[in-house]
Amino acid sequence: MHAVGEVSPAEAWEMLKSDPKAQLVDVRTTAEWTFVGVPDIRPLGRRVVTIEWSAFPSMTRNAEFETQLGATLKAQDVAVDTPIVFICRSGARSMSAAQTMAARGFSRCFNLAGGFEGDLDGEKHRGERNGWKRDGLPWTQT
């Protein structure tokens, strides 16, 4: 397992804002992107990279994830020392994705703490404790 940093949503936003090559990779499912929403980094002149870590409903691991993301990053001329922030619903899948890409030589992989929707609160609801949406960062929904 390779060391991966963890950043808050605000830290991730600042990283993306200050480094025009920095990437935000959303590893949730197509269903989540469609029905829950997606971080919106268009104000920074970019788009989120969306590649499923696992597929709904089986949640089977996407065996092509590394190849797909590698090709996307190469097409955007992203170097292996470029900051890459990984996000999922709560931070679990994105941590696995970040560790996998760090093992492939990407030296500045970060997991977004709390993910897009945040951790469960005492009533087992998301969106109240932490996360991208809770912190008021831009997002869109179809």
Side-chain angles (χ1 to χ4, degrees), residues 98-131:
Q99 290 170 337
T100 296
M101 294 311 287
R104 290 201 133 206
F106 289 87
S107 61
R108 296 182 65 202
C109 294
F110 299 90
N111 183 48
L112 193 127
F116 186 66
E117 295 182 71
D119 297 320
L120 292 170
D121 65 14
E123 297 177 10
K124 300 205 182 277
H125 297 146
R126 295 189 189 278
E128 297 298 321
R129 291 185 59 198
N130 56 4

PDB file of all heavy atoms in Angstrom, residues 98-131:
ATOM      1  N   ALA A  98      -6.944   6.194  -4.955  1.00  0.00           N
ATOM      2  CA  ALA A  98      -5.736   7.000  -4.775  1.00  0.00           C
ATOM      3  C   ALA A  98      -4.531   6.103  -4.488  1.00  0.00           C
ATOM      4  O   ALA A  98      -3.448   6.303  -5.048  1.00  0.00           O
ATOM      5  CB  ALA A  98      -5.942   8.013  -3.647  1.00  0.00           C
ATOM      6  N   GLN A  99      -4.702   5.103  -3.638  1.00  0.00           N
ATOM      7  CA  GLN A  99      -3.614   4.183  -3.320  1.00  0.00           C
ATOM      8  C   GLN A  99      -3.193   3.388  -4.553  1.00  0.00           C
ATOM      9  O   GLN A  99      -2.006   3.169  -4.786  1.00  0.00           O
ATOM     10  CB  GLN A  99      -4.023   3.245  -2.187  1.00  0.00           C
ATOM     11  CG  GLN A  99      -4.132   3.954  -0.860  1.00  0.00           C
ATOM     12  CD  GLN A  99      -4.767   3.108   0.222  1.00  0.00           C
ATOM     13  OE1 GLN A  99      -5.512   2.163  -0.043  1.00  0.00           O
ATOM     14  NE2 GLN A  99      -4.490   3.456   1.471  1.00  0.00           N
ATOM     15  N   THR A 100      -4.164   2.994  -5.354  1.00  0.00           N
ATOM     16  CA  THR A 100      -3.864   2.243  -6.575  1.00  0.00           C
ATOM     17  C   THR A 100      -3.055   3.086  -7.549  1.00  0.00           C
ATOM     18  O   THR A 100      -2.071   2.606  -8.124  1.00  0.00           O
ATOM     19  CB  THR A 100      -5.177   1.766  -7.234  1.00  0.00           C
ATOM     20  OG1 THR A 100      -5.815   0.850  -6.329  1.00  0.00           O
ATOM     21  CG2 THR A 100      -4.927   1.078  -8.557  1.00  0.00           C
ATOM     22  N   MET A 101      -3.440   4.343  -7.726  1.00  0.00           N
ATOM     23  CA  MET A 101      -2.708   5.201  -8.665  1.00  0.00           C
ATOM     24  C   MET A 101      -1.345   5.597  -8.098  1.00  0.00           C
ATOM     25  O   MET A 101      -0.390   5.744  -8.855  1.00  0.00           O
ATOM     26  CB  MET A 101      -3.545   6.421  -9.046  1.00  0.00           C
ATOM     27  CG  MET A 101      -4.800   6.067  -9.850  1.00  0.00           C
ATOM     28  SD  MET A 101      -4.537   4.938 -11.268  1.00  0.00           S
ATOM     29  CE  MET A 101      -3.712   6.041 -12.417  1.00  0.00           C
ATOM     30  N   ALA A 102      -1.237   5.732  -6.786  1.00  0.00           N
ATOM     31  CA  ALA A 102       0.069   5.994  -6.170  1.00  0.00           C
ATOM     32  C   ALA A 102       1.002   4.811  -6.425  1.00  0.00           C
ATOM     33  O   ALA A 102       2.187   4.997  -6.723  1.00  0.00           O
ATOM     34  CB  ALA A 102      -0.089   6.252  -4.674  1.00  0.00           C
ATOM     35  N   ALA A 103       0.463   3.611  -6.359  1.00  0.00           N
ATOM     36  CA  ALA A 103       1.264   2.410  -6.635  1.00  0.00           C
ATOM     37  C   ALA A 103       1.707   2.360  -8.094  1.00  0.00           C
ATOM     38  O   ALA A 103       2.704   1.715  -8.419  1.00  0.00           O
ATOM     39  CB  ALA A 103       0.461   1.150  -6.286  1.00  0.00           C
ATOM     40  N   ARG A 104       0.990   3.067  -8.960  1.00  0.00           N
ATOM     41  CA  ARG A 104       1.350   3.129 -10.378  1.00  0.00           C
ATOM     42  C   ARG A 104       2.299   4.277 -10.683  1.00  0.00           C
ATOM     43  O   ARG A 104       2.552   4.578 -11.844  1.00  0.00           O
ATOM     44  CB  ARG A 104       0.103   3.250 -11.235  1.00  0.00           C
ATOM     45  CG  ARG A 104      -0.697   1.969 -11.226  1.00  0.00           C
ATOM     46  CD  ARG A 104      -1.576   1.929 -12.417  1.00  0.00           C
ATOM     47  NE  ARG A 104      -1.437   0.623 -13.017  1.00  0.00           N
ATOM     48  CZ  ARG A 104      -1.654   0.378 -14.279  1.00  0.00           C
ATOM     49  NH1 ARG A 104      -1.985   1.339 -15.104  1.00  0.00           N
ATOM     50  NH2 ARG A 104      -1.551  -0.837 -14.754  1.00  0.00           N
ATOM     51  N   GLY A 105       2.782   4.954  -9.640  1.00  0.00           N
ATOM     52  CA  GLY A 105       3.806   5.970  -9.842  1.00  0.00           C
ATOM     53  C   GLY A 105       3.350   7.412  -9.752  1.00  0.00           C
ATOM     54  O   GLY A 105       4.170   8.322  -9.881  1.00  0.00           O
ATOM     55  N   PHE A 106       2.068   7.656  -9.545  1.00  0.00           N
ATOM     56  CA  PHE A 106       1.597   9.030  -9.376  1.00  0.00           C
ATOM     57  C   PHE A 106       1.900   9.437  -7.939  1.00  0.00           C
ATOM     58  O   PHE A 106       1.318   8.903  -7.001  1.00  0.00           O
ATOM     59  CB  PHE A 106       0.109   9.146  -9.725  1.00  0.00           C
ATOM     60  CG  PHE A 106      -0.146   9.008 -11.196  1.00  0.00           C
ATOM     61  CD1 PHE A 106      -0.335   7.755 -11.763  1.00  0.00           C
ATOM     62  CD2 PHE A 106      -0.144  10.123 -12.020  1.00  0.00           C
ATOM     63  CE1 PHE A 106      -0.539   7.615 -13.133  1.00  0.00           C
ATOM     64  CE2 PHE A 106      -0.350   9.994 -13.389  1.00  0.00           C
ATOM     65  CZ  PHE A 106      -0.545   8.734 -13.948  1.00  0.00           C
ATOM     66  N   SER A 107       2.826  10.369  -7.777  1.00  0.00           N
ATOM     67  CA  SER A 107       3.410  10.631  -6.463  1.00  0.00           C
ATOM     68  C   SER A 107       2.634  11.600  -5.582  1.00  0.00           C
ATOM     69  O   SER A 107       2.930  11.727  -4.404  1.00  0.00           O
ATOM     70  CB  SER A 107       4.838  11.158  -6.639  1.00  0.00           C
ATOM     71  OG  SER A 107       4.823  12.377  -7.367  1.00  0.00           O
ATOM     72  N   ARG A 108       1.625  12.273  -6.137  1.00  0.00           N
ATOM     73  CA  ARG A 108       0.883  13.253  -5.340  1.00  0.00           C
ATOM     74  C   ARG A 108      -0.614  12.983  -5.398  1.00  0.00           C
ATOM     75  O   ARG A 108      -1.405  13.793  -5.855  1.00  0.00           O
ATOM     76  CB  ARG A 108       1.211  14.664  -5.812  1.00  0.00           C
ATOM     77  CG  ARG A 108       2.693  14.991  -5.575  1.00  0.00           C
ATOM     78  CD  ARG A 108       3.063  16.380  -5.980  1.00  0.00           C
ATOM     79  NE  ARG A 108       2.373  17.366  -5.137  1.00  0.00           N
ATOM     80  CZ  ARG A 108       2.168  18.617  -5.518  1.00  0.00           C
ATOM     81  NH1 ARG A 108       2.558  19.034  -6.705  1.00  0.00           N
ATOM     82  NH2 ARG A 108       1.559  19.465  -4.713  1.00  0.00           N
ATOM     83  N   CYS A 109      -1.002  11.807  -4.892  1.00  0.00           N
ATOM     84  CA  CYS A 109      -2.407  11.417  -4.841  1.00  0.00           C
ATOM     85  C   CYS A 109      -2.983  11.774  -3.478  1.00  0.00           C
ATOM     86  O   CYS A 109      -2.339  11.558  -2.449  1.00  0.00           O
ATOM     87  CB  CYS A 109      -2.557   9.919  -5.087  1.00  0.00           C
ATOM     88  SG  CYS A 109      -2.098   9.408  -6.748  1.00  0.00           S
ATOM     89  N   PHE A 110      -4.198  12.306  -3.489  1.00  0.00           N
ATOM     90  CA  PHE A 110      -4.864  12.721  -2.264  1.00  0.00           C
ATOM     91  C   PHE A 110      -6.288  12.182  -2.238  1.00  0.00           C
ATOM     92  O   PHE A 110      -6.968  12.156  -3.260  1.00  0.00           O
ATOM     93  CB  PHE A 110      -4.927  14.249  -2.169  1.00  0.00           C
ATOM     94  CG  PHE A 110      -3.580  14.890  -2.150  1.00  0.00           C
ATOM     95  CD1 PHE A 110      -2.958  15.266  -3.334  1.00  0.00           C
ATOM     96  CD2 PHE A 110      -2.921  15.114  -0.952  1.00  0.00           C
ATOM     97  CE1 PHE A 110      -1.704  15.858  -3.330  1.00  0.00           C
ATOM     98  CE2 PHE A 110      -1.662  15.704  -0.936  1.00  0.00           C
ATOM     99  CZ  PHE A 110      -1.052  16.074  -2.123  1.00  0.00           C
ATOM    100  N   ASN A 111      -6.731  11.789  -1.062  1.00  0.00           N
ATOM    101  CA  ASN A 111      -8.110  11.385  -0.849  1.00  0.00           C
ATOM    102  C   ASN A 111      -8.851  12.574  -0.258  1.00  0.00           C
ATOM    103  O   ASN A 111      -8.346  13.252   0.633  1.00  0.00           O
ATOM    104  CB  ASN A 111      -8.167  10.199   0.113  1.00  0.00           C
ATOM    105  CG  ASN A 111      -9.576   9.693   0.300  1.00  0.00           C
ATOM    106  OD1 ASN A 111     -10.299   9.484  -0.662  1.00  0.00           O
ATOM    107  ND2 ASN A 111      -9.975   9.520   1.543  1.00  0.00           N
ATOM    108  N   LEU A 112     -10.066  12.829  -0.747  1.00  0.00           N
ATOM    109  CA  LEU A 112     -10.863  13.916  -0.205  1.00  0.00           C
ATOM    110  C   LEU A 112     -11.634  13.413   1.015  1.00  0.00           C
ATOM    111  O   LEU A 112     -12.525  12.578   0.892  1.00  0.00           O
ATOM    112  CB  LEU A 112     -11.826  14.475  -1.247  1.00  0.00           C
ATOM    113  CG  LEU A 112     -12.429  15.801  -0.790  1.00  0.00           C
ATOM    114  CD1 LEU A 112     -12.234  16.866  -1.845  1.00  0.00           C
ATOM    115  CD2 LEU A 112     -13.856  15.648  -0.428  1.00  0.00           C
ATOM    116  N   ALA A 113     -11.246  13.896   2.188  1.00  0.00           N
ATOM    117  CA  ALA A 113     -11.870  13.484   3.447  1.00  0.00           C
ATOM    118  C   ALA A 113     -13.355  13.846   3.435  1.00  0.00           C
ATOM    119  O   ALA A 113     -13.723  14.959   3.089  1.00  0.00           O
ATOM    120  CB  ALA A 113     -11.172  14.160   4.622  1.00  0.00           C
ATOM    121  N   GLY A 114     -14.189  12.904   3.791  1.00  0.00           N
ATOM    122  CA  GLY A 114     -15.621  13.144   3.824  1.00  0.00           C
ATOM    123  C   GLY A 114     -16.313  12.967   2.489  1.00  0.00           C
ATOM    124  O   GLY A 114     -17.534  12.897   2.428  1.00  0.00           O
ATOM    125  N   GLY A 115     -15.557  12.921   1.405  1.00  0.00           N
ATOM    126  CA  GLY A 115     -16.131  12.686   0.087  1.00  0.00           C
ATOM    127  C   GLY A 115     -17.105  13.762  -0.357  1.00  0.00           C
ATOM    128  O   GLY A 115     -17.089  14.894   0.111  1.00  0.00           O
ATOM    129  N   PHE A 116     -17.966  13.392  -1.283  1.00  0.00           N
ATOM    130  CA  PHE A 116     -18.930  14.331  -1.861  1.00  0.00           C
ATOM    131  C   PHE A 116     -20.097  14.586  -0.906  1.00  0.00           C
ATOM    132  O   PHE A 116     -20.529  15.706  -0.709  1.00  0.00           O
ATOM    133  CB  PHE A 116     -19.438  13.784  -3.196  1.00  0.00           C
ATOM    134  CG  PHE A 116     -20.328  14.740  -3.953  1.00  0.00           C
ATOM    135  CD1 PHE A 116     -19.817  15.921  -4.459  1.00  0.00           C
ATOM    136  CD2 PHE A 116     -21.653  14.452  -4.181  1.00  0.00           C
ATOM    137  CE1 PHE A 116     -20.620  16.811  -5.161  1.00  0.00           C
ATOM    138  CE2 PHE A 116     -22.467  15.318  -4.889  1.00  0.00           C
ATOM    139  CZ  PHE A 116     -21.952  16.501  -5.378  1.00  0.00           C
ATOM    140  N   GLU A 117     -20.609  13.512  -0.284  1.00  0.00           N
ATOM    141  CA  GLU A 117     -21.789  13.626   0.572  1.00  0.00           C
ATOM    142  C   GLU A 117     -21.482  13.658   2.056  1.00  0.00           C
ATOM    143  O   GLU A 117     -22.345  14.027   2.856  1.00  0.00           O
ATOM    144  CB  GLU A 117     -22.741  12.461   0.303  1.00  0.00           C
ATOM    145  CG  GLU A 117     -23.321  12.455  -1.087  1.00  0.00           C
ATOM    146  CD  GLU A 117     -24.281  11.313  -1.274  1.00  0.00           C
ATOM    147  OE1 GLU A 117     -25.373  11.382  -0.691  1.00  0.00           O
ATOM    148  OE2 GLU A 117     -23.927  10.353  -1.965  1.00  0.00           O
ATOM    149  N   GLY A 118     -20.297  13.234   2.459  1.00  0.00           N
ATOM    150  CA  GLY A 118     -19.927  13.270   3.862  1.00  0.00           C
ATOM    151  C   GLY A 118     -20.246  11.991   4.614  1.00  0.00           C
ATOM    152  O   GLY A 118     -20.911  11.091   4.118  1.00  0.00           O
ATOM    153  N   ASP A 119     -19.750  11.963   5.834  1.00  0.00           N
ATOM    154  CA  ASP A 119     -19.964  10.816   6.712  1.00  0.00           C
ATOM    155  C   ASP A 119     -21.384  10.809   7.250  1.00  0.00           C
ATOM    156  O   ASP A 119     -22.054  11.847   7.309  1.00  0.00           O
ATOM    157  CB  ASP A 119     -18.976  10.877   7.891  1.00  0.00           C
ATOM    158  CG  ASP A 119     -17.533  10.772   7.444  1.00  0.00           C
ATOM    159  OD1 ASP A 119     -17.256   9.972   6.529  1.00  0.00           O
ATOM    160  OD2 ASP A 119     -16.689  11.495   8.003  1.00  0.00           O
ATOM    161  N   LEU A 120     -21.819   9.635   7.689  1.00  0.00           N
ATOM    162  CA  LEU A 120     -23.133   9.509   8.315  1.00  0.00           C
ATOM    163  C   LEU A 120     -23.144  10.253   9.648  1.00  0.00           C
ATOM    164  O   LEU A 120     -22.168  10.218  10.401  1.00  0.00           O
ATOM    165  CB  LEU A 120     -23.467   8.038   8.560  1.00  0.00           C
ATOM    166  CG  LEU A 120     -23.709   7.179   7.317  1.00  0.00           C
ATOM    167  CD1 LEU A 120     -23.778   5.706   7.704  1.00  0.00           C
ATOM    168  CD2 LEU A 120     -24.985   7.610   6.622  1.00  0.00           C
ATOM    169  N   ASP A 121     -24.271  10.890   9.940  1.00  0.00           N
ATOM    170  CA  ASP A 121     -24.429  11.519  11.243  1.00  0.00           C
ATOM    171  C   ASP A 121     -25.116  10.532  12.192  1.00  0.00           C
ATOM    172  O   ASP A 121     -25.310   9.367  11.839  1.00  0.00           O
ATOM    173  CB  ASP A 121     -25.187  12.845  11.137  1.00  0.00           C
ATOM    174  CG  ASP A 121     -26.636  12.698  10.671  1.00  0.00           C
ATOM    175  OD1 ASP A 121     -27.184  11.573  10.673  1.00  0.00           O
ATOM    176  OD2 ASP A 121     -27.227  13.733  10.299  1.00  0.00           O
ATOM    177  N   GLY A 122     -25.482  10.970  13.363  1.00  0.00           N
ATOM    178  CA  GLY A 122     -26.103  10.102  14.359  1.00  0.00           C
ATOM    179  C   GLY A 122     -27.430   9.510  13.921  1.00  0.00           C
ATOM    180  O   GLY A 122     -27.854   8.480  14.440  1.00  0.00           O
ATOM    181  N   GLU A 123     -28.083  10.149  12.962  1.00  0.00           N
ATOM    182  CA  GLU A 123     -29.362   9.648  12.446  1.00  0.00           C
ATOM    183  C   GLU A 123     -29.196   8.890  11.138  1.00  0.00           C
ATOM    184  O   GLU A 123     -30.168   8.622  10.447  1.00  0.00           O
ATOM    185  CB  GLU A 123     -30.333  10.814  12.279  1.00  0.00           C
ATOM    186  CG  GLU A 123     -30.663  11.479  13.600  1.00  0.00           C
ATOM    187  CD  GLU A 123     -31.562  12.690  13.422  1.00  0.00           C
ATOM    188  OE1 GLU A 123     -32.078  12.910  12.307  1.00  0.00           O
ATOM    189  OE2 GLU A 123     -31.740  13.405  14.410  1.00  0.00           O
ATOM    190  N   LYS A 124     -27.931   8.590  10.809  1.00  0.00           N
ATOM    191  CA  LYS A 124     -27.579   7.849   9.595  1.00  0.00           C
ATOM    192  C   LYS A 124     -27.956   8.601   8.317  1.00  0.00           C
ATOM    193  O   LYS A 124     -28.396   8.016   7.341  1.00  0.00           O
ATOM    194  CB  LYS A 124     -28.172   6.434   9.611  1.00  0.00           C
ATOM    195  CG  LYS A 124     -27.680   5.610  10.792  1.00  0.00           C
ATOM    196  CD  LYS A 124     -27.749   4.153  10.488  1.00  0.00           C
ATOM    197  CE  LYS A 124     -27.298   3.347  11.666  1.00  0.00           C
ATOM    198  NZ  LYS A 124     -25.892   3.185  11.787  1.00  0.00           N
ATOM    199  N   HIS A 125     -27.754   9.926   8.352  1.00  0.00           N
ATOM    200  CA  HIS A 125     -27.952  10.778   7.181  1.00  0.00           C
ATOM    201  C   HIS A 125     -26.612  11.355   6.769  1.00  0.00           C
ATOM    202  O   HIS A 125     -25.765  11.660   7.608  1.00  0.00           O
ATOM    203  CB  HIS A 125     -28.903  11.933   7.490  1.00  0.00           C
ATOM    204  CG  HIS A 125     -30.273  11.501   7.860  1.00  0.00           C
ATOM    205  ND1 HIS A 125     -31.038  12.179   8.763  1.00  0.00           N
ATOM    206  CD2 HIS A 125     -31.021  10.447   7.456  1.00  0.00           C
ATOM    207  CE1 HIS A 125     -32.206  11.579   8.904  1.00  0.00           C
ATOM    208  NE2 HIS A 125     -32.216  10.519   8.124  1.00  0.00           N
ATOM    209  N   ARG A 126     -26.427  11.531   5.491  1.00  0.00           N
ATOM    210  CA  ARG A 126     -25.224  12.181   4.980  1.00  0.00           C
ATOM    211  C   ARG A 126     -25.537  13.646   4.680  1.00  0.00           C
ATOM    212  O   ARG A 126     -26.682  14.029   4.535  1.00  0.00           O
ATOM    213  CB  ARG A 126     -24.741  11.481   3.706  1.00  0.00           C
ATOM    214  CG  ARG A 126     -24.301  10.056   3.962  1.00  0.00           C
ATOM    215  CD  ARG A 126     -23.627   9.441   2.747  1.00  0.00           C
ATOM    216  NE  ARG A 126     -23.416   8.017   2.955  1.00  0.00           N
ATOM    217  CZ  ARG A 126     -22.395   7.501   3.637  1.00  0.00           C
ATOM    218  NH1 ARG A 126     -21.482   8.291   4.152  1.00  0.00           N
ATOM    219  NH2 ARG A 126     -22.279   6.195   3.795  1.00  0.00           N
ATOM    220  N   GLY A 127     -24.485  14.456   4.553  1.00  0.00           N
ATOM    221  CA  GLY A 127     -24.659  15.837   4.146  1.00  0.00           C
ATOM    222  C   GLY A 127     -24.718  16.840   5.291  1.00  0.00           C
ATOM    223  O   GLY A 127     -24.850  18.035   5.041  1.00  0.00           O
ATOM    224  N   GLU A 128     -24.605  16.383   6.518  1.00  0.00           N
ATOM    225  CA  GLU A 128     -24.681  17.292   7.658  1.00  0.00           C
ATOM    226  C   GLU A 128     -23.355  17.463   8.384  1.00  0.00           C
ATOM    227  O   GLU A 128     -23.159  18.468   9.057  1.00  0.00           O
ATOM    228  CB  GLU A 128     -25.741  16.794   8.660  1.00  0.00           C
ATOM    229  CG  GLU A 128     -27.144  16.765   8.097  1.00  0.00           C
ATOM    230  CD  GLU A 128     -27.635  18.148   7.699  1.00  0.00           C
ATOM    231  OE1 GLU A 128     -27.351  19.126   8.413  1.00  0.00           O
ATOM    232  OE2 GLU A 128     -28.293  18.262   6.646  1.00  0.00           O
ATOM    233  N   ARG A 129     -22.460  16.491   8.287  1.00  0.00           N
ATOM    234  CA  ARG A 129     -21.218  16.523   9.071  1.00  0.00           C
ATOM    235  C   ARG A 129     -20.039  17.117   8.316  1.00  0.00           C
ATOM    236  O   ARG A 129     -19.282  17.900   8.865  1.00  0.00           O
ATOM    237  CB  ARG A 129     -20.857  15.108   9.527  1.00  0.00           C
ATOM    238  CG  ARG A 129     -21.830  14.573  10.558  1.00  0.00           C
ATOM    239  CD  ARG A 129     -21.420  13.230  11.099  1.00  0.00           C
ATOM    240  NE  ARG A 129     -20.104  13.329  11.717  1.00  0.00           N
ATOM    241  CZ  ARG A 129     -19.338  12.291  11.971  1.00  0.00           C
ATOM    242  NH1 ARG A 129     -19.745  11.083  11.670  1.00  0.00           N
ATOM    243  NH2 ARG A 129     -18.171  12.444  12.534  1.00  0.00           N
ATOM    244  N   ASN A 130     -19.850  16.681   7.079  1.00  0.00           N
ATOM    245  CA  ASN A 130     -18.675  17.096   6.309  1.00  0.00           C
ATOM    246  C   ASN A 130     -18.922  16.769   4.839  1.00  0.00           C
ATOM    247  O   ASN A 130     -20.002  16.330   4.474  1.00  0.00           O
ATOM    248  CB  ASN A 130     -17.402  16.405   6.828  1.00  0.00           C
ATOM    249  CG  ASN A 130     -17.510  14.896   6.839  1.00  0.00           C
ATOM    250  OD1 ASN A 130     -18.498  14.302   6.399  1.00  0.00           O
ATOM    251  ND2 ASN A 130     -16.489  14.232   7.353  1.00  0.00           N
ATOM    252  N   GLY A 131     -17.909  16.980   4.018  1.00  0.00           N
ATOM    253  CA  GLY A 131     -18.009  16.644   2.596  1.00  0.00           C
ATOM    254  C   GLY A 131     -18.091  17.870   1.698  1.00  0.00           C
ATOM    255  O   GLY A 131     -18.283  19.002   2.153  1.00  0.00           O
TER     256      GLY A 131
END
